[in-house]
Amino acid sequence: MKKLVFSAAVVLSLSACLKTKDLPPDQRVLVTISFANVTTPDTAKVGDTVKTQLRVTAPDQCYKFEGVDARNSGPNQFDLQAIGSKPNPALPQPSCLPNVYVKDTIFTFRLMTPGKYVMRYYNGTTLLQADTLHIVTN
């Protein structure tokens, strides 16, 4: 019993020494950026890697492309947005070249069920384009 009480006292005293500190703010924050051009194939086979060519843009050179957010928005329908990052506005701001940020990239994915899929590409809440992709069996 004495060992249990001693162990509990040690744990309590050590945990009392721990201080919770606020974590420093993230250097960059995630934001949506714009699709400028999207090229999706018309057909692919079940299980194939589908490659969609993207051109994304952002207001200046402080932005960076981070990826694509793809959400299932209905049966065989996906809503996609380009995700970028920029310096955290709560921190001192770096000087950024005013040139528009442009990045050409490829978004890859696989669909394992045959059918007709609708891929909707959004800039913010505005629909840029909707592409129909037919997935066929081998």
Side-chain angles (χ1 to χ4, degrees), residues 5 15 21 24-26 29 34 41 48 50 60-61 67 75 84 89 96 106 109 112-113 115 130 133-136:
V5 171
S15 64
K21 292 184 178 179
D26 290 333
V29 294
S34 297
D48 281 356
V50 179
D60 61 49
Q61 294 295 310
C96 301
I106 295 175
F109 58 94
M112 304 307 289
T113 306
L133 171 63
H134 296 276
I135 301 296
V136 297

Side-chain angles (χ1 to χ4, degrees), residues 19-23:
K19 294 182 180 180
T20 55
K21 292 184 178 179
D22 291 333
L23 294 174

Side-chain angles (χ1 to χ4, degrees), residues 56-135:
V56 296
T57 62
D60 61 49
Q61 294 295 310
C62 277
Y63 285 79
K64 177 182 170 189
F65 175 69
E66 299 294 345
V68 174
D69 180 30
R71 296 176 188 239
N72 187 318
S73 58
N76 293 357
Q77 180 173 286
F78 295 91
D79 292 348
L80 298 102
Q81 286 186 313
I83 303 298
S85 65
K86 67 177 187 174
N88 188 337
L91 299 174
Q93 294 298 296
S95 60
C96 301
L97 294 175
N99 310 32
V100 172
Y101 172 80
V102 178
K103 170 84 175 176
D104 291 320
T105 189
I106 295 175
F107 172 59
T108 60
F109 58 94
R110 289 182 197 195
L111 294 168
M112 304 307 289
T113 306
K116 181 174 79 170
Y117 292 83
V118 177
M119 314 301 282
R120 301 189 315 178
Y121 298 90
Y122 282 88
N123 288 337
T125 58
T126 303
L127 179 65
L128 173 70
Q129 73 184 55
D131 294 335
T132 301
L133 171 63
H134 296 276
I135 301 296

